[in-house]
Coordinates of all heavy atoms in Angstrom, one line a residue:
E1017 N 0.8 -1.2 0.0 CA 0.0 0.0 0.0 C 0.9 1.3 0.0 O 0.6 2.2 -0.7 CB -0.9 0.0 1.2 CG -1.8 1.1 1.3 CD -2.7 1.1 2.5 OE1 -3.1 0.0 3.0 OE2 -3.1 2.1 3.0
M1018 N 1.9 1.2 0.8 CA 2.8 2.4 0.9 C 3.6 2.6 -0.4 O 3.8 3.7 -0.9 CB 3.8 2.3 2.0 CG 3.1 2.2 3.4 SD 2.4 3.8 3.8 CE 3.8 4.6 4.6
V1019 N 4.0 1.5 -1.0 CA 4.7 1.6 -2.3 C 3.8 2.1 -3.4 O 4.2 3.0 -4.2 CB 5.2 0.2 -2.7 CG1 5.9 0.2 -4.1 CG2 6.2 -0.3 -1.7
A1020 N 2.5 1.7 -3.4 CA 1.6 2.2 -4.4 C 1.4 3.7 -4.2 O 1.3 4.4 -5.2 CB 0.3 1.4 -4.3
A1021 N 1.3 4.1 -3.0 CA 1.1 5.6 -2.8 C 2.3 6.3 -3.2 O 2.2 7.4 -3.8 CB 0.8 5.8 -1.3
L1022 N 3.5 5.8 -2.9 CA 4.8 6.4 -3.2 C 4.9 6.6 -4.8 O 5.2 7.6 -5.3 CB 5.9 5.6 -2.7 CG 7.3 6.2 -2.8 CD1 7.5 7.5 -2.0 CD2 8.3 5.2 -2.3
Q1023 N 4.6 5.5 -5.4 CA 4.7 5.5 -6.9 C 3.6 6.4 -7.5 O 3.8 7.1 -8.5 CB 4.5 4.1 -7.5 CG 5.7 3.2 -7.1 CD 5.5 1.8 -7.5 OE1 4.4 1.3 -7.7 NE2 6.6 1.0 -7.6
G1024 N 2.4 6.4 -6.9 CA 1.3 7.3 -7.4 C 1.7 8.8 -7.3 O 1.5 9.5 -8.2
Y1025 N 2.2 9.2 -6.1 CA 2.6 10.6 -5.9 C 3.7 10.9 -6.9 O 3.7 12.0 -7.4 CB 3.0 10.8 -4.5 CG 1.8 10.9 -3.5 CD1 1.8 10.2 -2.4 CD2 0.7 11.6 -3.8 CE1 0.8 10.2 -1.5 CE2 -0.4 11.6 -3.0 CZ -0.4 10.9 -1.8 OH -1.4 11.0 -0.9
R1026 N 4.7 10.0 -7.1 CA 5.8 10.3 -8.0 C 5.2 10.5 -9.4 O 5.7 11.4 -10.2 CB 6.8 9.2 -8.0 CG 7.7 9.3 -6.7 CD 8.7 8.2 -6.7 NE 9.5 8.3 -5.5 CZ 10.3 7.3 -5.1 NH1 10.3 6.1 -5.7 NH2 11.0 7.5 -4.0
A1027 N 4.3 9.6 -9.8 CA 3.7 9.7 -11.2 C 2.9 11.0 -11.3 O 3.0 11.7 -12.4 CB 2.8 8.5 -11.4
Q1028 N 2.2 11.4 -10.3 CA 1.4 12.7 -10.4 C 2.4 13.9 -10.5 O 2.1 14.8 -11.2 CB 0.5 12.8 -9.1 CG -0.7 11.9 -9.1 CD -1.5 12.1 -7.9 OE1 -1.3 13.0 -7.1 NE2 -2.5 11.2 -7.7
K1029 N 3.4 13.8 -9.7 CA 4.4 14.9 -9.7 C 5.0 15.0 -11.1 O 5.2 16.1 -11.6 CB 5.5 14.7 -8.6 CG 6.5 15.8 -8.6 CD 7.6 15.5 -7.5 CE 8.6 16.7 -7.5 NZ 9.9 16.3 -7.1
K1030 N 5.4 13.9 -11.7 CA 6.0 13.9 -13.0 C 5.0 14.4 -14.0 O 5.4 15.2 -14.9 CB 6.4 12.4 -13.3 CG 7.1 12.3 -14.6 CD 8.5 12.6 -14.5 CE 9.3 12.2 -15.7 NZ 10.5 12.9 -15.8
M1031 N 3.7 14.1 -13.9 CA 2.7 14.6 -14.8 C 2.6 16.2 -14.8 O 2.6 16.8 -15.8 CB 1.3 14.0 -14.6 CG 1.2 12.6 -15.1 SD -0.4 11.7 -14.8 CE -1.5 13.0 -14.4
F1032 N 2.6 16.7 -13.5 CA 2.6 18.1 -13.4 C 3.8 18.8 -14.0 O 3.8 19.8 -14.7 CB 2.5 18.5 -11.9 CG 1.2 18.5 -11.3 CD1 0.8 17.5 -10.4 CD2 0.2 19.5 -11.6 CE1 -0.4 17.5 -9.8 CE2 -1.0 19.5 -11.1 CZ -1.4 18.5 -10.1
E1033 N 5.0 18.1 -13.8 CA 6.2 18.7 -14.3 C 6.3 18.6 -15.9 O 6.7 19.5 -16.5 CB 7.4 17.9 -13.7 CG 7.6 18.2 -12.3 CD 8.7 17.4 -11.6 OE1 9.1 16.3 -12.2 OE2 9.0 17.7 -10.4
N1034 N 5.7 17.5 -16.4 CA 5.7 17.3 -17.9 C 4.8 18.4 -18.5 O 5.0 18.8 -19.6 CB 5.2 15.9 -18.3 CG 6.3 14.9 -18.0 OD1 7.5 15.2 -17.8 ND2 5.9 13.6 -18.0
D1035 N 3.7 18.8 -17.8 CA 2.8 19.8 -18.3 C 3.3 21.2 -17.9 O 2.6 22.2 -18.2 CB 1.4 19.6 -17.6 CG 0.7 18.3 -18.1 OD1 1.1 17.8 -19.2 OD2 -0.2 17.8 -17.5
N1036 N 4.4 21.3 -17.3 CA 5.0 22.6 -16.9 C 4.1 23.3 -16.0 O 3.9 24.5 -16.1 CB 5.4 23.4 -18.1 CG 6.5 24.4 -17.8 OD1 7.2 24.3 -16.8 ND2 6.6 25.5 -18.6
D1037 N 3.5 22.6 -15.1 CA 2.5 23.1 -14.1 C 3.1 23.0 -12.7 O 2.5 22.3 -11.9 CB 1.2 22.4 -14.3 CG 0.1 23.0 -13.4 OD1 0.2 24.2 -13.0 OD2 -1.0 22.4 -13.3
T1038 N 4.2 23.6 -12.5 CA 4.8 23.5 -11.2 C 4.5 24.6 -10.2 O 5.1 24.7 -9.1 CB 6.4 23.4 -11.4 OG1 6.8 24.5 -12.1 CG2 6.7 22.1 -12.1
S1039 N 3.6 25.5 -10.6 CA 3.3 26.6 -9.7 C 1.9 26.4 -9.1 O 1.4 27.3 -8.4 CB 3.5 27.9 -10.3 OG 2.7 28.0 -11.5
S1040 N 1.2 25.4 -9.5 CA -0.2 25.2 -9.1 C -0.3 24.6 -7.7 O 0.6 24.1 -7.1 CB -1.0 24.3 -10.0 OG -0.5 23.0 -9.9
E1041 N -1.5 24.8 -7.1 CA -1.7 24.3 -5.7 C -1.7 22.7 -5.8 O -1.2 22.1 -4.8 CB -3.1 24.7 -5.2 CG -3.0 26.2 -4.8 CD -4.4 26.6 -4.2 OE1 -5.0 25.7 -3.5 OE2 -4.7 27.8 -4.3
G1042 N -2.2 22.2 -6.9 CA -2.2 20.7 -7.0 C -0.8 20.1 -7.0 O -0.5 19.1 -6.3
Y1043 N 0.2 20.8 -7.7 CA 1.5 20.4 -7.7 C 2.2 20.4 -6.3 O 2.8 19.5 -5.9 CB 2.3 21.2 -8.7 CG 3.8 20.8 -8.7 CD1 4.3 19.7 -9.4 CD2 4.8 21.7 -8.1 CE1 5.6 19.4 -9.4 CE2 6.1 21.3 -8.1 CZ 6.5 20.2 -8.8 OH 7.9 19.9 -8.8
H1044 N 1.9 21.5 -5.6 CA 2.5 21.7 -4.3 C 1.9 20.7 -3.3 O 2.6 20.2 -2.4 CB 2.4 23.2 -3.8 CG 3.2 24.1 -4.6 ND1 4.6 24.1 -4.5 CD2 2.9 25.0 -5.5 CE1 5.0 25.1 -5.4 NE2 4.0 25.6 -6.0
G1045 N 0.6 20.4 -3.5 CA 0.0 19.4 -2.6 C 0.6 18.0 -2.8 O 0.8 17.3 -1.9
V1046 N 0.8 17.7 -4.1 CA 1.5 16.4 -4.4 C 2.9 16.3 -3.9 O 3.3 15.3 -3.3 CB 1.4 16.1 -5.9 CG1 2.3 15.0 -6.3 CG2 0.0 15.9 -6.4
C1047 N 3.6 17.4 -4.0 CA 5.0 17.5 -3.5 C 5.0 17.3 -2.0 O 5.9 16.6 -1.4 CB 5.7 18.8 -3.9 SG 6.1 18.9 -5.6
L1048 N 4.1 17.9 -1.3 CA 4.0 17.8 0.2 C 3.6 16.4 0.6 O 4.3 15.8 1.5 CB 2.9 18.8 0.7 CG 2.7 18.7 2.2 CD1 3.9 19.1 3.0 CD2 1.5 19.6 2.6
A1049 N 2.7 15.8 -0.1 CA 2.3 14.4 0.2 C 3.4 13.4 -0.1 O 3.7 12.5 0.7 CB 1.0 14.0 -0.6
L1050 N 4.1 13.7 -1.2 CA 5.3 12.8 -1.6 C 6.4 13.0 -0.5 O 7.0 12.0 -0.1 CB 5.8 13.2 -2.9 CG 7.0 12.4 -3.5 CD1 6.7 11.0 -3.5 CD2 7.4 13.0 -4.8
A1051 N 6.7 14.2 -0.1 CA 7.7 14.4 1.0 C 7.3 13.6 2.3 O 8.2 13.0 2.9 CB 7.9 15.8 1.2
Q1052 N 6.0 13.7 2.6 CA 5.6 13.0 3.9 C 5.7 11.5 3.8 O 6.2 10.9 4.7 CB 4.2 13.4 4.2 CG 4.0 14.9 4.6 CD 2.6 15.3 4.8 OE1 1.7 14.6 4.3 NE2 2.4 16.4 5.4
I1053 N 5.3 11.0 2.6 CA 5.4 9.5 2.5 C 6.9 9.1 2.4 O 7.3 8.0 2.9 CB 4.5 9.0 1.4 CG1 4.3 7.5 1.6 CG2 5.1 9.2 0.0 CD1 3.1 6.9 0.8
E1054 N 7.7 9.9 1.7 CA 9.1 9.5 1.6 C 9.8 9.6 3.0 O 10.7 8.8 3.3 CB 9.8 10.5 0.7 CG 9.6 10.1 -0.8 CD 10.3 11.1 -1.7 OE1 10.7 12.2 -1.3 OE2 10.3 10.7 -2.9
E1055 N 9.3 10.5 3.8 CA 9.9 10.6 5.2 C 9.5 9.3 6.0 O 10.3 8.8 6.8 CB 9.3 11.8 5.9 CG 9.9 12.0 7.2 CD 9.4 13.3 7.9 OE1 9.3 14.3 7.1 OE2 9.1 13.3 9.1
K1056 N 8.3 8.8 5.8 CA 7.9 7.6 6.5 C 8.6 6.3 6.0 O 9.0 5.5 6.9 CB 6.4 7.4 6.3 CG 5.5 8.3 7.1 CD 4.1 8.0 6.9 CE 3.2 9.0 7.6 NZ 1.8 8.7 7.3
V1057 N 8.7 6.1 4.7 CA 9.3 4.9 4.2 C 10.7 5.0 3.6 O 11.3 4.0 3.3 CB 8.3 4.3 3.1 CG1 7.0 3.9 3.7 CG2 8.2 5.1 1.9
G1058 N 11.1 6.2 3.4 CA 12.4 6.4 2.7 C 12.2 6.6 1.3 O 11.4 6.0 0.6
E1059 N 13.0 7.6 0.7 CA 12.8 8.0 -0.7 C 13.2 7.0 -1.7 O 12.8 7.0 -2.8 CB 13.4 9.3 -0.9 CG 14.9 9.4 -0.8 CD 15.5 10.7 -1.0 OE1 15.0 11.6 -0.3 OE2 16.3 10.9 -1.9
D1060 N 14.1 6.0 -1.3 CA 14.6 5.0 -2.2 C 14.0 3.7 -2.0 O 14.5 2.7 -2.6 CB 16.1 5.0 -2.2 CG 16.7 4.6 -0.8 OD1 15.9 4.6 0.1 OD2 17.9 4.3 -0.8
W1061 N 13.0 3.5 -1.2 CA 12.4 2.2 -0.9 C 11.6 1.7 -2.0 O 10.8 2.5 -2.6 CB 11.6 2.3 0.4 CG 11.0 1.0 0.8 CD1 11.8 -0.1 1.1 CD2 9.7 0.6 1.0 NE1 10.9 -1.1 1.5 CE2 9.6 -0.7 1.5 CE3 8.5 1.3 0.9 CZ2 8.5 -1.4 1.7 CZ3 7.3 0.6 1.2 CH2 7.3 -0.7 1.6
D1062 N 11.8 0.5 -2.5 CA 11.1 0.0 -3.6 C 10.1 -1.1 -3.2 O 9.5 -1.7 -4.1 CB 12.1 -0.7 -4.6 CG 12.9 -1.8 -4.0 OD1 12.7 -2.1 -2.8 OD2 13.6 -2.5 -4.7
G1063 N 9.8 -1.2 -1.9 CA 8.8 -2.1 -1.5 C 9.3 -3.5 -1.1 O 8.5 -4.3 -0.6
V1064 N 10.5 -3.8 -1.3 CA 11.1 -5.1 -1.0 C 11.4 -5.2 0.5 O 12.1 -4.3 1.0 CB 12.3 -5.4 -1.9 CG1 12.9 -6.7 -1.5 CG2 12.0 -5.4 -3.3
T1065 N 10.9 -6.2 1.1 CA 11.2 -6.4 2.5 C 11.8 -7.8 2.7 O 11.6 -8.7 1.9 CB 10.0 -6.3 3.4 OG1 9.0 -7.2 3.0 CG2 9.4 -4.9 3.3
V1066 N 12.5 -8.0 3.8 CA 13.0 -9.3 4.1 C 12.2 -9.7 5.4 O 12.3 -9.2 6.4 CB 14.5 -9.2 4.4 CG1 15.1 -10.6 4.8 CG2 15.3 -8.7 3.3
L1067 N 11.5 -10.8 5.2 CA 10.7 -11.3 6.2 C 11.2 -12.7 6.7 O 11.7 -13.4 5.9 CB 9.2 -11.5 5.8 CG 8.5 -10.2 5.3 CD1 7.2 -10.5 4.8 CD2 8.4 -9.2 6.4
L1068 N 11.0 -13.0 7.9 CA 11.5 -14.3 8.4 C 10.5 -15.3 7.9 O 9.3 -15.2 7.9 CB 11.5 -14.3 9.9 CG 12.5 -13.4 10.6 CD1 12.4 -13.4 12.1 CD2 13.9 -13.8 10.2
D1069 N 11.1 -16.4 7.5 CA 10.3 -17.6 7.0 C 10.7 -18.8 7.8 O 11.8 -19.3 7.6 CB 10.5 -17.8 5.5 CG 9.6 -18.9 5.0 OD1 8.9 -19.5 5.8 OD2 9.6 -19.2 3.8
N1070 N 9.9 -19.2 8.7 CA 10.3 -20.3 9.6 C 10.4 -21.6 8.9 O 10.9 -22.6 9.5 CB 9.3 -20.4 10.8 CG 9.4 -19.2 11.7 OD1 10.4 -18.5 11.8 ND2 8.3 -18.8 12.3
N1071 N 10.0 -21.7 7.7 CA 10.0 -23.0 7.0 C 11.3 -23.2 6.2 O 11.5 -24.3 5.7 CB 8.8 -23.1 6.0 CG 7.5 -23.0 6.7 OD1 7.4 -23.5 7.8 ND2 6.5 -22.4 6.0
K1072 N 12.1 -22.2 6.1 CA 13.4 -22.3 5.4 C 14.6 -22.1 6.3 O 14.5 -21.2 7.2 CB 13.4 -21.3 4.2 CG 12.4 -21.6 3.2 CD 12.6 -20.6 2.0 CE 11.5 -20.8 0.9 NZ 11.6 -19.9 -0.2
Q1073 N 15.6 -22.8 6.0 CA 16.9 -22.6 6.7 C 17.6 -21.3 6.2 O 17.6 -21.1 5.0 CB 17.8 -23.8 6.5 CG 17.4 -25.1 7.2 CD 17.7 -25.0 8.7 OE1 18.3 -24.1 9.2 NE2 17.2 -26.0 9.4
P1074 N 18.2 -20.5 7.1 CA 18.9 -19.4 6.7 C 20.2 -19.8 5.9 O 20.7 -20.8 6.2 CB 19.2 -18.6 7.9 CG 19.1 -19.6 9.0 CD 18.1 -20.7 8.6
V1075 N 20.6 -18.9 5.0 CA 21.8 -19.2 4.3 C 23.0 -18.8 5.2 O 23.0 -17.7 5.8 CB 21.9 -18.4 3.0 CG1 23.2 -18.5 2.3 CG2 20.7 -18.8 2.1
T1076 N 23.9 -19.6 5.4 CA 25.1 -19.4 6.2 C 26.3 -19.0 5.3 O 26.6 -19.8 4.4 CB 25.4 -20.6 7.1 OG1 24.3 -20.9 7.8 CG2 26.6 -20.3 8.0
M1077 N 26.9 -17.9 5.6 CA 28.1 -17.5 4.8 C 29.3 -18.2 5.3 O 29.6 -18.2 6.5 CB 28.2 -16.0 4.9 CG 29.3 -15.5 4.0 SD 29.6 -13.7 4.2 CE 28.0 -13.0 4.1
P1078 N 30.1 -18.9 4.4 CA 31.3 -19.5 4.8 C 32.3 -18.5 5.4 O 32.3 -17.3 4.9 CB 31.8 -20.2 3.6 CG 30.7 -20.1 2.6 CD 29.8 -19.1 3.0
D1079 N 33.1 -18.9 6.3 CA 34.1 -17.9 6.8 C 35.1 -17.4 5.8 O 35.6 -16.3 6.0 CB 35.0 -18.7 7.9 CG 34.1 -19.1 9.1 OD1 33.1 -18.4 9.4 OD2 34.5 -20.0 9.8
I1080 N 35.3 -18.1 4.7 CA 36.2 -17.6 3.7 C 35.7 -16.3 3.0 O 36.5 -15.5 2.5 CB 36.5 -18.7 2.6 CG1 37.6 -18.3 1.7 CG2 35.2 -19.0 1.8 CD1 38.9 -18.3 2.3
V1081 N 34.4 -16.1 2.9 CA 33.8 -15.0 2.2 C 34.2 -13.6 2.9 O 34.7 -12.8 2.2 CB 32.3 -15.1 2.0 CG1 31.7 -13.9 1.4 CG2 32.0 -16.3 1.2
P1082 N 33.9 -13.4 4.2 CA 34.4 -12.2 4.8 C 35.9 -12.0 4.7 O 36.4 -10.9 4.6 CB 33.9 -12.2 6.2 CG 33.2 -13.5 6.4 CD 33.2 -14.2 5.1
Y1083 N 36.6 -13.1 4.9 CA 38.1 -13.0 4.8 C 38.5 -12.6 3.4 O 39.3 -11.7 3.2 CB 38.7 -14.4 5.1 CG 40.2 -14.4 4.9 CD1 41.0 -13.9 5.9 CD2 40.7 -15.0 3.8 CE1 42.4 -13.9 5.7 CE2 42.1 -15.0 3.6 CZ 42.9 -14.5 4.6 OH 44.3 -14.5 4.5
A1084 N 37.8 -13.1 2.3 CA 38.1 -12.8 1.0 C 37.8 -11.3 0.7 O 38.5 -10.6 0.0 CB 37.4 -13.7 0.0
I1085 N 36.7 -10.9 1.2 CA 36.2 -9.5 1.0 C 37.3 -8.6 1.6 O 37.7 -7.6 1.0 CB 34.8 -9.3 1.6 CG1 33.8 -10.0 0.8 CG2 34.5 -7.8 1.7 CD1 32.4 -10.0 1.4
G1086 N 37.7 -8.9 2.8 CA 38.7 -8.1 3.5 C 40.0 -8.0 2.8 O 40.7 -7.0 2.9
N1087 N 40.3 -9.0 2.1 CA 41.6 -9.1 1.4 C 41.5 -8.7 -0.1 O 42.5 -8.8 -0.8 CB 42.3 -10.5 1.5 CG 42.7 -10.7 2.9 OD1 43.2 -9.8 3.6 ND2 42.6 -11.9 3.4
G1088 N 40.3 -8.4 -0.5 CA 40.1 -8.0 -1.9 C 40.1 -9.1 -2.9 O 40.3 -8.9 -4.1
D1089 N 39.8 -10.3 -2.4 CA 39.8 -11.5 -3.3 C 38.4 -11.7 -3.9 O 37.6 -12.5 -3.4 CB 40.2 -12.8 -2.5 CG 40.3 -14.0 -3.4 OD1 40.2 -13.9 -4.6 OD2 40.6 -15.1 -2.8
I1090 N 38.1 -10.9 -4.9 CA 36.7 -10.9 -5.4 C 36.4 -12.2 -6.1 O 35.2 -12.6 -6.1 CB 36.6 -9.7 -6.4 CG1 35.1 -9.5 -6.8 CG2 37.4 -10.0 -7.7 CD1 34.3 -9.0 -5.7
K1091 N 37.4 -13.0 -6.6 CA 37.1 -14.2 -7.3 C 36.5 -15.2 -6.3 O 35.5 -15.9 -6.6 CB 38.3 -14.8 -7.9 CG 38.8 -14.1 -9.1 CD 40.0 -14.8 -9.7 CE 40.5 -14.0 -10.9 NZ 41.6 -14.6 -11.5
A1092 N 37.0 -15.3 -5.1 CA 36.4 -16.2 -4.0 C 35.0 -15.8 -3.7 O 34.1 -16.7 -3.5 CB 37.3 -16.2 -2.8
V1093 N 34.8 -14.5 -3.6 CA 33.4 -14.0 -3.2 C 32.4 -14.4 -4.4 O 31.3 -14.9 -4.1 CB 33.4 -12.5 -3.0 CG1 32.0 -12.0 -2.7 CG2 34.3 -12.2 -1.8
L1094 N 32.8 -14.1 -5.6 CA 31.9 -14.4 -6.7 C 31.7 -15.9 -6.9 O 30.6 -16.3 -7.2 CB 32.5 -13.8 -8.0 CG 32.5 -12.3 -8.1 CD1 33.2 -11.8 -9.3 CD2 31.1 -11.7 -8.0
K1095 N 32.7 -16.7 -6.6 CA 32.6 -18.1 -6.7 C 31.5 -18.6 -5.6 O 30.7 -19.5 -6.0 CB 33.9 -18.8 -6.4 CG 33.9 -20.3 -6.6 CD 35.3 -20.9 -6.4 CE 35.3 -22.4 -6.5 NZ 36.6 -23.0 -6.3
W1096 N 31.5 -18.0 -4.4 CA 30.5 -18.4 -3.4 C 29.1 -18.0 -3.8 O 28.2 -18.7 -3.7 CB 30.9 -17.9 -2.1 CG 29.9 -18.2 -1.0 CD1 29.7 -19.4 -0.4 CD2 28.8 -17.4 -0.5 NE1 28.7 -19.4 0.5 CE2 28.1 -18.1 0.4 CE3 28.5 -16.1 -0.7 CZ2 27.0 -17.6 1.1 CZ3 27.4 -15.6 0.0 CH2 26.7 -16.3 0.9
I1097 N 29.0 -16.8 -4.4 CA 27.7 -16.2 -4.8 C 27.1 -17.1 -5.9 O 25.9 -17.4 -5.9 CB 27.8 -14.8 -5.2 CG1 28.1 -13.9 -4.0 CG2 26.5 -14.3 -5.9 CD1 28.4 -12.5 -4.3
N1098 N 28.0 -17.5 -6.8 CA 27.5 -18.2 -8.0 C 27.1 -19.6 -7.5 O 26.2 -20.2 -7.9 CB 28.6 -18.2 -9.1 CG 28.0 -18.7 -10.4 OD1 26.8 -18.9 -10.6 ND2 28.9 -19.0 -11.3

């Protein structure tokens, strides 16, 4: 619901801007609503959340991965990801 509202306000704002109608009350109202919802959920949030699923085992990262990251061994990291 929050993502839909965020996308809706962004689309409305874009329509006002495309019509070069950035001085109207409607535009300013949309900007205010967009700012408020972005403050609640974050301006870059795309709606993806990570929820706990008790039916699946969590993925465990091998000890070599953080070690490889710390030493700049990207090949080892990519091998584990792949």
